[in-house]
Amino acid sequence: MANVSAEQLGSESISSLLIKQAVPASIGILVMSLNVLVDSIFVGNWIGSIAIAAINVVLPVSFFIGALGMSIGIGGASIISRALGANNTEKALRTFGNQISFTLLVTILMVVLGLTYVDFLIPAFGGKGSIFELAKIYYVIVLYGVPLLALNMMGNAVIRAEGKPKFAMIAMIIPSLGNLVMDYLFINVLDYGMEGAAWATTISYFLCFSYILYFFLSKHSELKLNLQYFRINFSILKEISSLGFVTLSRQAVVSIIYLLMNNILFNLGGEAMVAVYAIVGRMLMFALFPVFGITQGFLPIAGFNYGAGKYDRVKESIYTAIKYAAILATVVFVGLMLFPNEIASLFLSDKPNMTAMELATNAFVLENTPSAMRWVFAATPIIALQLIGAAYFQAIGKAVPALLLTLCRQGFFFIPLILILPTYLGELGVWISFPIADVLATIVTGYYLRKEVNRTLVSEKI
């Protein structure tokens, strides 16, 4: 993994910098995405299509609780980075301790509420019909582990704040590999079914937590675990919350979308339609990892050069990042348009002793997933502009436009579209909402990005 100095950020060629920054980010995203993808393939082939739908129902809950940890981690990481830079180790340690306490308090409360209202929450998130029992089995077991997931997400951000990206990457790889091994053992070898899938996920959270705990207890970490710093400091919590709000808002919208989509699709086509969305959703997580990697790599380059007043380099970084991301997005688009049937078939296979209903569900999913996938990814080549544009405002420290543009596609356009179009167009209305939202969000982002560039990047600051 290449390390880049501040001097290089301001002098090395933008293309070279972008590759150095984007590759490690892409690897991390790839590992996480590949884990979700292969996990779904294992579950679909060894348990069935309804099992994929059941996991998709539980995903918004675990995703949101994990997002709480991520937002606390990112908010606190900003404070820790600045505190360590100013040699204020006391504030860094106090912030770290408060992050741990805050994460535990919030997530344990969420688990208690989640278990108390389990029979209400699962149907509310789309776990109806034959999905319910499988979703409940998975939900209860995984929910016990999600505080560890939140701590992992929080700890990973802090490790990066200490300037240890290698350890952060390893912390992402360990649970991914562990989950896949456990899936094979518990589902395929021991035939534990849905319980096996749930325990594989929960144990993977524990493996990651064990590694992160090792890091903070080792000589590699500047931050040490000390109980005196776990006492809640409300001024620190306020600062953590304000800085992490953008991340939490973005992740909360994703959870809301899963809730809405599962319910809308169940009403349109039952369990099988939810399974179709589960497969398409996994591809959304996986296929665009190189584009997200370019976006992450772009942030420090644009931020540093903007702060240094090197506006020509900022403009070059914007255009280069959009170009690279658009090329990669187009490659993804071509692959998905050409091979949707082959991709869908990876997730499901007919097993001995399957019931007639299970065979019919598999056939429906395999028949309908390719066309859904083509619609969902129809506008993929243009999304680079929307992602880089929103990231630019984040890079230069303009939180409000960064938040609004980040939420633009999913919150302001996509959610209204899926609430309106299916009423008139049925399931087609759901799928075409994706490219319509992409196009509208790209137009809005392009307008504001061009306006901001013309207004602020007008000359080289001396």
Side-chain angles (χ1 to χ4, degrees), residues 107-166:
T107 56
I108 290 174
L109 175 62
M110 294 289 287
V111 169
V112 171
L113 292 173
L115 292 173
T116 302
Y117 297 102
V118 57
D119 291 329
F120 166 77
L121 287 172
I122 291 177
F125 279 88
K128 303 167 186 175
S130 58
I131 299 176
F132 177 81
E133 287 301 328
L134 286 178
K136 185 174 181 178
I137 291 169
Y138 190 82
Y139 174 93
V140 170
I141 295 172
V142 168
L143 205 61
Y144 286 121
V146 290
L148 292 179
L149 170 64
L151 286 170
N152 295 341
M153 301 295 281
M154 183 276 294
N156 198 277
V158 175
I159 293 172
R160 291 186 185 279
E162 287 197 49
K164 306 293 194 310
K166 179 181 176 182

Side-chain angles (χ1 to χ4, degrees), residues 212-230:
I212 288 176
L213 180 62
Y214 152 76
F215 172 82
F216 287 117
L217 291 174
S218 73
K219 64 181 181 180
H220 302 293
S221 175
E222 298 175 52
L223 301 173
K224 302 302 178 185
L225 298 172
N226 192 321
L227 290 178
Q228 67 173 312
Y229 296 118
F230 284 29

Side-chain angles (χ1 to χ4, degrees), residues 405-454:
L405 290 175
T406 298
L407 298 180
C408 180
R409 175 188 171 273
Q410 294 179 315
F412 302 150
F413 292 128
F414 183 71
I415 289 178
L417 284 168
I418 61 169
L419 292 175
I420 296 170
L421 293 185
T423 304
Y424 302 99
L425 300 173
E427 65 188 68
L428 177 62
V430 175
W431 307 130
I432 66 173
S433 295
F434 284 88
I436 293 173
D438 285 335
V439 171
L440 293 174
T442 299
I443 292 171
V444 171
T445 304
Y447 170 79
Y448 283 104
L449 177 62
R450 182 173 181 177
K451 184 178 179 180
E452 181 70 17
V453 167
N454 290 338

Side-chain angles (χ1 to χ4, degrees), residues 284-307:
L284 279 170
M285 291 181 184
F286 171 73
L288 297 176
F289 80 88
V291 182
F292 294 136
I294 292 289
T295 305
Q296 291 297 310
F298 162 77
L299 285 167
I301 302 170
F304 178 89
N305 285 285
Y306 183 87

